Amino acid sequence: MLPCDPPETPIDASTRRSTPAARADHRFPRWITIPGAGLTGHSLEKISAALLLLFTVIALVWANSPLSTGYDEFWESSFDIRAGDVVIQMTFHSVVNDALMAFFFFAVGLEVKREFAIGELTDRTRAVVPIIAALAGLVVPAGIFLLLNPSGEDARAWGVVISSDTAFLLGALAIVGPTFPARLRVFLLTLAVVDDVGALGAIAVFYTEQVDLVPLVISVVLLGLVVLVRFLPVGRGPAYTVLSLLVWLTLYSSGVHPTLAGVAIALVIPVFPPRRREVERAAELARAFRQSPSSEYAAAASRSLNDSISANERLQIVYAPYVSFLILPLFALANAGVRLDQETIGAALGSSLTWGIIAGLVVGKIVGITGATALVRRFGLGQLAPGLTVARVLGGAALSGIGFTISLFIVDIAISDPLKQSEARVGVLAASLIAFVLGTLAFRIIDRVQPASTIGRTLIRPIDPDRDHIKGPADAPLTLVEYGDFECPFCSRATGSIDEVRAHYGPRLRYVWRHLPLTRVHPHATEAARASEAAAAQGAFFTFVPLLFARQDRLETDDLLSYAVEAGLDVDRFSHDLRSVRSANRVDDDALDAEIMDLGTTPTFFIGSKRHQGPYDAQSLIRALDASLEASDDDRSR
């Protein structure tokens, strides 16, 4: 019997869930065109990191070429913006750092709010380790920097070392390509969100010198109006645009750094999981438009589609490619142009500011993140995800020393002396390079110590009666674990084998189901798996599962809801649990376990904790189980 076709690449549940463009690729029909949606999460990260690196090199070459005077002259060229008696004078450099970077912080704010509202950080037990590690990754680097720069203007630049560059960090992880990076990627994304919150707080509290209360109060009132925009029947897009521009202008006038307007607006944008009522309404209008094409139906269907997904997620999808592929490269071009002449290099080599930045980002991130992770595990405050070790966290912590974007941003607002700015930028660039090299070396050593060939032979996560779906006594002497897919016909046939195996052993066997949805070949597998978890929340997992296997060609959302009715479940609760973070995390946990173990086909069986190789008909499984029982008896008799 042949297994289901494996996916073209290993299962990566974290990529599917954690990047806006990756989420877009799964959320929208193929006929909707979204910039960047055709790329995978890892491809987007590699391209974004490559563009940042390219424009950094261009800036360095430009600033150190015969045209170097043109670099400073161009970015310091000024122009006026006039509105009646109000005049705002800006340079091209301030347009990038004060205006365009507001979009970057807007995108960061959207991601932060989403993660705390419906994403990874809603599960507090899952988030505790990376949150504590991130806090240590803020405090320890700042402490190391201040040890080397305890006073004077240099001490004011402590904020330069607290934040990692998320785009470079994830791009570097994709480029380094450690074995099975998905768990580490989820950990680093969670860490990066907390890291960004800390950096934004530092900018707001410590790098705002003088505040004019009148425009600040006006900006707060305008933010209140932004909150009310969600209740407008039409014209919400233009309203958000006009009010956001006014908030930026008033914050700029108040003395608060205007990029924080992006964060403030993002935090009041609504976010919620897709709502069943709006989704069904959108489907009804789409059918009506198909039957009777008209501008009225088209407009109504378009509005209904928009209403079915929160403004937060729509805006992430729209802005993420432009931030990654346009704004951040322009920021690198405007800020990375350090003149690397003998005088600058000599000053940097003897500067405690430069060495404080290097030590803070490189040493501080490694010590803070890795040390906090080890301590949290040691004292039982939290647990790392299966397959994620302190050694792998150390590799990720080394890469976290890449503090490019926000570090350079804080250099510009924390240091006024141009010579000191150059020393600080040399420190940021050197630290980012060292961090990448150290992270690469760390992962090469880790992968050599734990070769990929040894992975997948043993079940990485022990059976947990409080979490796993188990048939049979929890303390049975024999264990059979299946990683399966509800849309895979071979899993359905294997279920028949399982029934025969269970009948043969009776109470001596416990059977355990874990999820491995092969989404590239089975588009409804993930939804079906989440539905089974929604049924499990009502104690009906093994009642619901046979309905999924019996009707593998009908696994749309409406079908799943009808099966809930047939199984006698509370449908409203089932519908809510189907969309919950808890159900998604349960499925993604199993899928990430499967990736770490290099499982690419379904069904895959484990006899006890050892992977079963060979046929999985009833008699083959019985022979394998008997052999494992004999081996355990021999071990006990010795």
Side-chain angles (χ1 to χ4, degrees):
M1 186 178 293
L2 296 175
C4 290
D5 292 334
E8 295 174 12
T9 57
I11 306 300
D12 188 348
S14 66
T15 300
R16 293 197 301 268
R17 187 177 59 207
S18 301
T19 63
R23 286 196 297 269
D25 191 35
H26 290 273
R27 183 179 297 118
F28 289 94
R30 295 184 182 276
W31 48 268
I32 296 179
T33 301
I34 302 164
L39 300 172
T40 65
H42 284 195
S43 297
L44 282 170
E45 288 154 9
K46 285 183 178 180
I47 294 171
S48 177
L51 281 173
L52 270 174
L53 181 60
L54 173 63
F55 276 75
T56 299
V57 171
I58 291 174
L60 288 169
V61 171
W62 186 0
N64 291 277
S65 71
L67 303 175
S68 59
T69 55
Y71 181 86
D72 292 329
E73 289 175 359
F74 174 79
W75 291 112
E76 295 306 319
S77 299
S78 63
F79 59 93
D80 295 343
I81 301 175
R82 298 179 180 272
D85 294 333
V86 178
V87 179
I88 297 177
Q89 187 178 65
M90 302 188 75
T91 64
F92 287 129
H93 186 267
S94 62
V95 167
V96 173
N97 282 29
D98 296 345
L100 291 183
M101 284 298 285
F103 288 96
F104 166 74
F105 285 107
F106 176 68
V108 169
L110 289 174
E111 184 70 12
V112 167
K113 181 168 182 180
R114 182 191 183 278
E115 292 302 325
F116 275 98
I118 61 173
E120 287 289 334
L121 299 183
T122 57
D123 187 342
R124 301 302 182 249
T125 58
R126 175 191 297 269
V128 64
V129 180
I131 285 177
I132 294 175
L135 293 174
L138 295 170
V139 173
V140 174
I144 290 175
F145 177 87
L146 289 172
L147 283 175
L148 297 175
N149 299 274
S151 61
E153 185 184 12
D154 289 357
R156 180 173 160 75
W158 61 268
V160 173
V161 301
I162 64 175
S163 184
S164 304
D165 188 299
T166 305
F168 256 138
L169 172 61
L170 296 181
L173 186 66
I175 291 168
V176 173
T179 304
F180 307 117
R183 288 286 192 194
L184 178 62
R185 189 177 179 283
V186 172
F187 181 93
L188 292 178
L189 273 172
T190 306
L191 186 145
V193 169
V194 180
D195 197 71
D196 288 339
V197 171
L200 296 173
I203 293 169
V205 175
F206 298 103
Y207 294 110
T208 298
E209 295 181 352
Q210 187 175 357
V211 177
D212 188 337
L213 289 179
V214 173
L216 183 61
V217 169
I218 294 174
S219 68
V220 172
V221 173
L222 291 169
L223 282 172
L225 295 177
V226 173
V227 173
L228 299 176
V229 167
R230 71 184 72 180
F231 300 110
L232 291 177
V234 294
R236 279 171 284 183
Y240 276 130
T241 301
V242 172
L243 288 172
S244 297
L245 178 60
L246 292 175
V247 170
W248 184 88
L249 288 170
T250 52
L251 278 182
Y252 186 91
S253 302
S254 73
V256 176
H257 203 280
T259 53
L260 295 177
V263 181
I265 294 164
L267 295 180
V268 299
I269 297 291
V271 57
F272 50 81
R275 296 169 176 169
R276 179 185 169 196
R277 182 177 302 173
E278 283 82 356
V279 171
E280 291 177 346
R281 173 65 175 161
E284 291 171 1
L285 288 169
R287 283 193 292 269
F289 175 72
R290 184 177 181 180
Q291 294 168 0
S292 177
S294 68
S295 58
E296 291 82 1
Y297 276 138
S302 177
R303 284 196 302 270
S304 186
L305 279 171
N306 282 335
D307 291 341
S308 67
I309 297 175
S310 70
N312 176 290
E313 296 195 88
R314 294 200 308 272
L315 289 168
Q316 283 192 64
I317 292 165
V318 169
Y319 282 104
Y322 298 106
V323 169
S324 297
F325 303 150
L326 178 62
I327 292 173
L328 289 182
L330 279 176
F331 175 83
L333 186 64
N335 289 273
V338 183
R339 191 164 298 170
L340 300 177
D341 53 24
Q342 186 175 359
E343 181 182 354
T344 303
I345 297 296
L349 288 174
S351 170
S352 61
L353 174 62
T354 302
W355 288 109
I357 290 172
I358 294 174
L361 283 171
V362 176
V363 179
K365 288 294 183 181
I366 292 175
V367 172
I369 294 171
T370 310
T373 300
L375 289 173
V376 168
R377 290 190 65 203
R378 173 68 179 81
F379 291 105
L381 301 177
Q383 293 294 325
L384 290 172
L388 184 59
T389 63
V390 173
R392 292 192 175 276
V393 170
L394 185 148
L399 292 179
S400 297
I402 302 174
F404 189 81
T405 303
I406 293 183
S407 293
L408 290 178
F409 183 82
I410 295 179
V411 165
D412 187 60
I413 61 177
I415 304 171
S416 57
D417 184 345
L419 296 178
K420 289 288 187 180
Q421 284 185 349
S422 294
E423 293 173 12
R425 289 184 178 123
V426 169
V428 171
L429 294 174
S432 298
L433 179 60
I434 294 169
F436 178 76
V437 172
L438 287 178
T440 302
L441 290 175
F443 283 121
R444 294 292 178 265
I445 294 170
I446 292 165
D447 288 341
R448 184 180 293 271
V449 171
Q450 187 183 38
S453 60
T454 65
I455 295 174
R457 297 178 184 176
T458 304
L459 196 66
I460 64 167
R461 174 159 50 86
I463 307 304
D464 182 356
D466 295 327
R467 183 203 178 282
D468 281 309
H469 305 298
I470 301 175
K471 258 188 176 182
D475 58 351
L478 291 171
T479 299
L480 178 63
V481 181
E482 177 180 358
Y483 277 85
D485 175 320
F486 291 122
E487 205 173 356
C488 168
F490 302 106
C491 295
S492 177
R493 295 174 196 171
T495 303
S497 301
I498 298 306
D499 293 339
E500 188 175 336
V501 173
R502 290 189 63 244
H504 177 82
Y505 287 104
R508 293 188 297 155
L509 175 72
R510 62 175 178 176
Y511 165 72
V512 182
W513 170 275
R514 288 181 177 175
H515 303 288
L516 177 50
L518 303 181
T519 54
R520 288 186 180 272
V521 289
H522 300 142
H524 305 101
T526 298
E527 184 86 350
R530 292 178 181 177
S532 72
E533 292 295 339
Q538 300 185 45
F541 180 84
F542 287 108
T543 302
F544 190 79
V545 162
L547 300 175
L548 299 177
F549 278 132
R551 300 151 191 182
Q552 290 185 319
D553 58 338
R554 299 194 302 278
L555 295 177
E556 299 284 352
T557 302
D558 289 344
D559 299 319
L560 299 174
L561 293 170
S562 71
Y563 303 155
V565 174
E566 188 175 343
L569 304 180
D570 181 332
V571 178
D572 288 337
R573 181 183 172 189
F574 177 88
S575 178
H576 175 268
D577 289 338
L578 177 62
R579 300 297 178 192
S580 71
V581 174
R582 176 187 174 278
S583 295
N585 284 344
R586 285 291 184 91
V587 175
D588 287 345
D589 277 347
D590 287 353
L592 287 171
D593 290 344
E595 182 196 355
I596 292 168
M597 294 186 292
D598 197 24
L599 310 185
T601 61
T602 56
T604 294
F605 290 96
F606 286 80
I607 306 295
S609 62
K610 303 298 182 183
R611 185 171 177 176
H612 171 67
Q613 303 287 349
Y616 46 82
D617 59 278
Q619 291 306 311
S620 296
L621 292 175
I622 288 170
R623 284 194 294 271
L625 286 161
D626 285 342
S628 86
L629 190 60
E630 290 174 5
S632 62
D633 288 341
D634 289 342
D635 290 339
R636 282 194 296 270
S637 65
R638 288 173 183 169

